[in-house]
C-alpha cells in the first residue's frame, strides 16, 4: 500500500479559466436550495385541496410530506460520497434536474400513490442541494468573507420553511394546488442554466476528489450505504409518524424503531471501521465541528418547535385565522433577512463564541417572554417577541455554520456539510416530534389538576355556575338545559386554561433546553492559522 501526497502548491495552482463573480455563483446555487427548503412546508397549506382532489384522508395525505422528508434525509450524508465519484458541480446539477422533474410530475399526479412516489423523487433531488451549496460557497468565498457566504446560505435554509406556507396559501387560493409544484420548473431551469455557466469546481478540490474517488471505487462501502438508507429512513418514519400512532403504544412504531436502532448502531460501527467509508464519521473527532453541529441541531429543533407551537397557540386560543397567524410570524423572517447580512459582516470582527452565546441567551429570554402569553395577549405582544427571536436566530445560524466548518479541509467540505445538514434536519424533526407529543400530555396533566380543584361544594364554583346559568336563562334556556350547558362551558374553560398552561411549559422548556448547550460554546474556537492543504490518498 502506497501513499500519494498532493502538495499544497499543486492543489492551489490557479485555474486556467477566468474567475467568475462570486455573487453570480451564489445566486446560481441559492435558487435550488431555496426551492428545496420551501417545498418541505409548502404542501401543508394545500392539505384540504389535496384530500378533495385525490380522495384521500388527512392521515393519508401526511405521506406527501413524510415521503419528501425521508428521501431528503437519506441523501444528505451521502453528498460527499457522490461528490467524490462525480464531482460537486455534477452532483448539484443532477439533483437539481431530479428535483425539477419530480416537481413537474407532482403537479401532474392525480392519485395519492403517484403523488407520494413523485414527492420521494423530489426529495431525493432536494437532499444534496443544501450540503452542496454550502460546500461550494465555502470554496468560493475567501476566508474573510465566509460569514457573509453563510449569511446568504442561512437566508435560504431558514427562511424557506417560514415563507413556504404563505406562498403556498397564496398559490392555492388564487390558482390550484398543482401550481405549488409547477412554480419550481421555470425557476429550476434558470438555476440549472446559471450553474452550468457560472459554477466551476476549484482545481485543488477537483484534484483531491479525483484521487479520493480512485480509492473509493476500489473499496465501495455498499454495506454502509445500505445501513444508512435503512437506518435514516426508519428513524425519520418514527419521528414523522410516531405522534400520530401514539408512539410505543403502536406495535408498528416499536418494530420500526428497533430496526432504526439496530441499523444506525451497525452504521456507526461499520463507518468507523471501513477502509473508505461512504459517510465520514471521523469528522466528528474535530471538537469544533462536533460542537457547532450539535448546537445547530438544537437551534433547528427549537426553531421548528416554536414555529409549530405559535400558530397553534394563536389559532386555538386567541382565535386567529390561518392567514392572521401566518402574517404574525412574518416579522421574525423579515428580521432575519435584515440581521443575517449584518451578522455575516461582523463575523471576523466579533468573537463567534460571544455572538453564539448572546444568541442562546437571547432565545432563552424570548422563550421566557412567550411563557407569559395569556388569553388576552394580542398581535403586538407576539410580534415584539418574534422580532427579538429573529435577532437571536441570526446570531446563532451564521457563526455556527461558519465556524463549524472552519477547520475542515476544502476537499472534505462535502462530507462535512452533508453531516451538518443531516443533523440540522434531524434536530428539527426530533424537536417537532417531542414538542407535539408533550403539548397534549402537558394539557392532559394540567386539565386533571384543574378539574380536581373544581369541587361543587366550593362557594366560588357554585357562584360561577349560578352566574352562567342566570346568563343562559336570560337568553331563553330552561333551568335544566341552562345547568347542563353551564357545566359544559365551565369544562371548556378548564380545557382552555389547561392548554394555556401546556404552551407555557413548552415555551419554558424550549428556553431551558437551549441553555443546556451553552457550555458547548467554549469549544467554538477559530483555528489560529490556516495550514497548507495536503491530501494523503492511500492506493
Amino acid at each position: 500500500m502506497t501513499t500519494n501526497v498532493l502538495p499544497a502548491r499543486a492543489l492551489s495552482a490557479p485555474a486556467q479559466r477566468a474567475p467568475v463573480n462570486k455573487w453570480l455563483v451564489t445566486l446560481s446555487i441559492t435558487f435550488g436550495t431555496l426551492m428545496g427548503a420551501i417545498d418541505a412546508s409548502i404542501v401543508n397549506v394545500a392539505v384540504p385541496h389535496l384530500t378533495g382532489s385525490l380522495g384521500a384522508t388527512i392521515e393519508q395525505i401526511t405521506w406527501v410530506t413524510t415521503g419528501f422528508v425521508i428521501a431528503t434525509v437519506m441523501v444528505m450524508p451521502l453528498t460527499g460520497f457522490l461528490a467524490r465519484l462525480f464531482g460537486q458541480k455534477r452532483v448539484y446539477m443532477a439533483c437539481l434536474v431530479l428535483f425539477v422533474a419530480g416537481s413537474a410530475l407532482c403537479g401532474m399526479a392525480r392519485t395519492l400513490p403517484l403523488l407520494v412516489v413523485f414527492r420521494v423523487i423530489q426529495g431525493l433531488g432536494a437532499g444534496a442541494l443544501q450540503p452542496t451549496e454550502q460546500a461550494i460557497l465555502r470554496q468560493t468565498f475567501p476566508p474573510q468573507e465566509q460569514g457573509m457566504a453563510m449569511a446568504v446560505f442561512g437566508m435560504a435554509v431558514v427562511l424557506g420553511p417560514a415563507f413556504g406556507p404563505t406562498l403556498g396559501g397564496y398559490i392555492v387560493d388564487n390558482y390550484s394546488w398543482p401550481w405549488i409544484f409547477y412554480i419550481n420548473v421555470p425557476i429550476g431551469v434558470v438555476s440549472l442554466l446559471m450553474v452550468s455557466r457560472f459554477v466551476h469546481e476549484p482545481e485543488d478540490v477537483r484534484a483531491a476528489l479525483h484521487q479520493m474517488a480512485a480509492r473509493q471505487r476500489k473499496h465501495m462501502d455498499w454495506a454502509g450505504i445500505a445501513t444508512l438508507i435503512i437506518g435514516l429512513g426508519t428513524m425519520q418514519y418514527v419521528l414523522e409518524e410516531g405522534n400520530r400512532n401514539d408512539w410505543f403504544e403502536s406495535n408498528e412504531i416499536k418494530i420500526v424503531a428497533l430496526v432504526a436502532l439496530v441499523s444506525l448502531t451497525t452504521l456507526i460501527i461499520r463507518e468507523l471501521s471501513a477502509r473508505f467509508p461512504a459517510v465520514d464519521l471521523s469528522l466528528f473527532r474535530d471538537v469544533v465541528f462536533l460542537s457547532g453541529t450539535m448546537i445547530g441541531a438544537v437551534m433547528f429543533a427549537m426553531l421548528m418547535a416554536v414555529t409549530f407551537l405559535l400558530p397553534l397557540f394563536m389559532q386555538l386560543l386567541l382565535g386567529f385565522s390561518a392567514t392572521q397567524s401566518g402574517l404574525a410570524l412574518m416579522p421574525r423572517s423579515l428580521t432575519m433577512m435584515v440581521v443575517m447580512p449584518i451578522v455575516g459582516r461582523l463575523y471576523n470582527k466579533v468573537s463567534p463564541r460571544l455572538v453564539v452565546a448572546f444568541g442562546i441567551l437571547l432565545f432563552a429570554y424570548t422563550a421566557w417572554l412567550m411563557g407569559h402569553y395569556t388569553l388576552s395577549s394580542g398581535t403586538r405582544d407576539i410580534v415584539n417577541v418574534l422580532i427579538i427571536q429573529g435577532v437571536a436566530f441570526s446570531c446563532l445560524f451564521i457563526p455556527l455554520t461558519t465556524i463549524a466548518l472552519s477547520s475542515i479541509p476544502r476537499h472534505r467540505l462535502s462530507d462535512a456539510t452533508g453531516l451538518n445538514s443531516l443533523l440540522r434536519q434531524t434536530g428539527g424533526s426530533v424537536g417537532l416530534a417531542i414538542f407535539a407529543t408533550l403539548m397534549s400530555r402537558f394539557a392532559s396533566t394540567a386539565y386533571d389538576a384543574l378539574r380536581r380543584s373544581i369541587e361543587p361544594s366550593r362557594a366560588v364554583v357554585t357562584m360561577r355556575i349560578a352566574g352562567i346559568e342566570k346568563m343562559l336563562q336570560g337568553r331563553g334556556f330552561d333551568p335544566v338545559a341552562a345547568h347542563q350547558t353551564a357545566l359544559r362551558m365551565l369544562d371548556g374553560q378548564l380545557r382552555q386554561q389547561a392548554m394555556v398552561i401546556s404552551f407555557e411549559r413548552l415555551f419554558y422548556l424550549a428556553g431551558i433546553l437551549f441553555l443546556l448547550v451553552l457550555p458547548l460554546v467554549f469549544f467554538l474556537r477559530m483555528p489560529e492559522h490556516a495550514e497548507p492543504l495536503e491530501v494523503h490518498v492511500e492506493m
Side-chain angles (χ1 to χ4, degrees):
M1 184 177 296
T2 60
T3 302
N4 293 340
V5 180
L6 195 59
R9 59 180 178 275
L11 291 178
S12 60
Q16 298 301 315
R17 62 174 61 94
V20 179
N21 186 290
K22 58 180 178 289
W23 293 111
L24 281 175
V25 175
T26 302
L27 184 63
S28 302
I29 58 178
T30 299
F31 276 133
T33 301
L34 184 59
M35 286 190 300
I38 287 176
D39 269 59
S41 59
I42 196 172
V43 174
N44 296 341
V45 296
V47 168
H49 297 79
L50 291 173
T51 55
S53 298
L54 304 177
T57 64
I58 292 179
E59 288 74 18
Q60 292 171 330
I61 289 295
T62 58
W63 270 101
V64 176
T65 298
T66 301
F68 179 88
V69 174
I70 290 177
T72 301
V73 166
M74 288 192 298
V75 173
M76 281 180 171
L78 291 174
T79 304
F81 169 82
L82 296 171
R84 286 190 292 273
L85 286 180
F86 307 109
Q88 289 178 166
K89 179 179 176 179
R90 289 178 181 173
V91 168
Y92 188 89
M93 293 182 67
C95 288
L96 189 55
V97 169
L98 196 62
F99 176 81
V100 171
S103 299
L105 292 171
C106 285
M108 292 185 285
R110 292 298 177 266
T111 64
L112 180 62
L114 276 179
L115 182 57
V116 172
V117 170
F118 295 152
R119 279 285 280 177
V120 170
I121 293 174
Q122 194 188 35
L124 292 174
L129 296 179
Q130 284 189 27
T132 308
E133 180 193 353
Q134 197 174 1
I136 292 174
L137 287 178
R138 293 296 299 236
Q139 295 160 359
T140 301
F141 281 73
Q144 65 272 19
E145 297 180 14
Q146 295 288 311
M148 182 56 66
M150 291 302 97
V152 176
F153 172 73
M155 290 172 67
V157 172
V158 176
L159 300 183
F163 284 108
T166 304
L167 177 61
Y170 176 82
I171 292 174
V172 169
D173 289 341
N174 292 278
Y175 301 96
S176 59
W177 69 262
W179 283 99
I180 64 178
F181 300 112
Y182 287 148
I183 193 175
N184 292 329
V185 176
I187 299 175
V189 170
V190 171
S191 177
L192 192 62
L193 293 174
M194 293 182 68
V195 170
S196 65
R197 172 68 178 83
F198 300 119
V199 177
H200 304 289
E201 284 183 275
E203 292 301 319
D204 61 324
V205 175
R206 184 197 298 271
L209 293 180
H210 179 73
Q211 289 200 16
M212 295 171 71
R215 183 186 174 205
Q216 182 169 275
R217 290 188 180 95
K218 290 183 178 180
H219 308 287
M220 289 295 288
D221 185 19
W222 296 117
I225 295 172
T227 53
L228 171 77
I229 292 173
I230 296 171
L232 291 182
T234 50
M235 179 193 70
Q236 196 65 36
Y237 177 85
V238 171
L239 294 175
E240 293 286 326
E241 300 293 321
N243 191 43
R244 280 190 286 269
N245 291 281
D246 202 18
W247 292 104
F248 296 108
E249 296 299 319
S250 165
N251 289 330
E252 177 189 345
I253 295 298
K254 288 180 182 177
I255 294 172
V256 177
L258 179 61
V259 173
L261 179 62
V262 173
S263 300
L264 292 176
T265 302
T266 305
L267 172 67
I268 293 172
I269 296 172
R270 167 67 187 178
E271 298 309 273
L272 291 178
S273 59
R275 296 183 67 179
F276 203 92
V279 182
D280 192 358
L281 298 181
S282 66
L283 289 167
F284 287 118
R285 295 171 183 165
D286 186 322
V287 178
V288 176
F289 175 70
L290 175 62
S291 301
T293 301
M294 294 305 298
I295 298 175
V298 175
M299 178 202 73
F300 226 70
M302 297 304 103
L303 173 63
M304 296 302 293
V306 171
T307 303
F308 164 75
L309 292 173
L310 273 178
L312 286 178
F313 179 83
M314 290 185 280
Q315 293 177 48
L316 294 178
L317 300 177
L318 302 184
F320 284 32
S321 66
T323 302
Q324 288 173 328
S325 61
L327 291 174
L329 292 173
M330 290 298 288
R332 182 177 66 188
S333 302
L334 296 175
T335 301
M336 293 172 72
M337 287 184 66
V338 173
V339 177
M340 274 189 170
I342 297 174
V343 176
R345 288 194 172 276
L346 292 175
Y347 178 76
N348 290 312
K349 300 177 181 179
V350 182
S351 170
R353 284 192 287 188
L354 291 178
V355 178
V356 172
F358 175 75
I360 291 174
L361 294 174
L362 196 59
F363 174 82
Y365 173 64
T366 62
W368 180 78
L369 291 176
M370 289 190 292
H372 288 74
Y373 285 160
T374 66
L375 295 175
S376 60
S377 297
T379 303
R380 176 173 294 183
D381 301 313
I382 293 172
V383 168
N384 289 342
V385 174
L386 287 179
I387 290 174
I388 302 174
Q389 197 173 86
V391 176
F393 281 127
S394 299
C395 291
L396 288 165
F397 192 89
I398 308 304
L400 286 175
T401 51
T402 307
I403 197 171
L405 304 172
S406 60
S407 57
I408 304 296
R410 283 159 60 89
H411 64 287
R412 300 180 72 186
L413 278 173
S414 293
D415 291 284
T417 56
L419 291 171
N420 187 269
S421 297
L422 170 67
L423 264 70
R424 190 168 56 240
Q425 181 70 43
T426 304
S429 298
V430 170
L432 199 57
I434 291 175
F435 278 73
T437 302
L438 291 179
M439 181 180 69
S440 58
R441 294 187 180 180
F442 283 172
S444 178
T445 302
Y447 172 75
D448 290 340
L450 290 172
R451 189 175 59 178
R452 286 194 296 269
S453 67
I454 305 299
E455 295 291 340
S457 57
R458 295 181 59 188
V460 64
V461 176
T462 304
M463 292 176 60
R464 183 65 177 269
I465 295 175
I468 297 174
E469 289 178 350
K470 184 176 180 181
M471 180 269 294
L472 292 173
Q473 289 175 10
R475 296 184 178 182
F477 284 70
D478 61 73
V480 175
H483 180 70
Q484 293 175 345
T485 304
L487 292 178
R488 287 196 296 269
M489 291 179 65
L490 184 61
D491 184 72
Q493 292 173 356
L494 287 180
R495 293 184 183 278
Q496 192 177 49
Q497 289 297 329
M499 285 301 297
V500 173
I501 294 173
S502 175
F503 279 105
E504 174 188 287
R505 291 177 178 175
L506 290 170
F507 290 136
Y508 285 153
L509 178 62
I512 292 171
L513 289 177
F514 225 153
L515 288 175
L516 291 178
V517 301
L518 193 59
L520 292 178
V521 175
F522 172 77
F523 298 102
L524 299 179
R525 298 186 301 271
M526 286 290 292
E528 296 181 3
H529 54 84
E531 294 290 344
L533 178 61
E534 292 193 356
V535 183
H536 298 264
V537 182
E538 296 181 6
M539 302 298 291

